[in-house]
Amino acid sequence: MADLNALVESLSALTVLEAAELSKMLEEKWGVSAAAAVAVAGPAAGGAGAAAPVVEEKTEFDVILTGDGGKKINVIKEVRAITQLGLTEAKTLVESAPKAIKEGVNKEEAEKIKAQLEAAGATVEIK
């Protein structure tokens, strides 16, 4: 059996970047995620030198139209400009709110679309 005290000392000497790399390597080797390992291990494993799970930043967002704000025509015009839909399709989309306008876009584009729709009078969510 491995000398656990020596292992603890070795892990305590790791930098944050090295600990993150170790976490990734163990995830690949054992086929688990660090979040699952922390949940299974519980707080007892949170001693000195324990690697914190790496939280991935969300990179894809959905822009959801939640209402037309009483300005349906202006909102339909903006939806047509954003989605390249025809008049009938854009009208149907606006009338069936809450509905996704764009899915899987980056944060900048999602914020831009939200601003355009809100300027036209719509209510919008980014998920």
Side-chain angles (χ1 to χ4, degrees):
M1 183 165 183
D3 181 9
L4 296 180
N5 289 328
L7 185 58
V8 168
E9 289 301 317
S10 296
L11 290 175
S12 296
L14 293 177
T15 65
V16 173
L17 292 175
E18 291 170 334
E21 182 64 27
L22 174 63
S23 174
K24 288 179 188 176
M25 292 171 66
L26 292 175
E27 285 176 4
E28 291 173 10
K29 173 94 173 157
W30 295 335
V32 297
S33 73
V38 170
V40 171
V54 178
V55 178
E56 292 185 27
E57 185 176 335
K58 187 173 181 178
T59 59
E60 291 188 351
F61 299 87
D62 298 339
V63 181
I64 312 293
L65 176 70
T66 57
D68 62 20
K71 299 184 178 183
K72 187 191 292 186
I73 293 172
N74 291 339
V75 174
I76 291 171
K77 287 179 183 178
E78 282 302 317
V79 168
R80 287 188 69 202
I82 293 165
T83 62
Q84 305 300 317
L85 291 173
L87 179 59
T88 305
E89 294 87 358
K91 181 178 181 278
T92 302
L93 192 147
V94 170
E95 290 174 343
S96 63
K99 194 79 170 178
I101 300 295
K102 283 270 189 163
E103 296 177 329
V105 296
N106 64 34
K107 188 173 185 170
E108 287 179 22
E109 186 175 353
E111 291 292 339
K112 179 182 168 193
I113 292 169
K114 180 179 179 184
Q116 284 178 288
L117 290 168
E118 286 179 341
T123 54
V124 183
E125 282 183 8
I126 296 178
K127 292 186 178 185

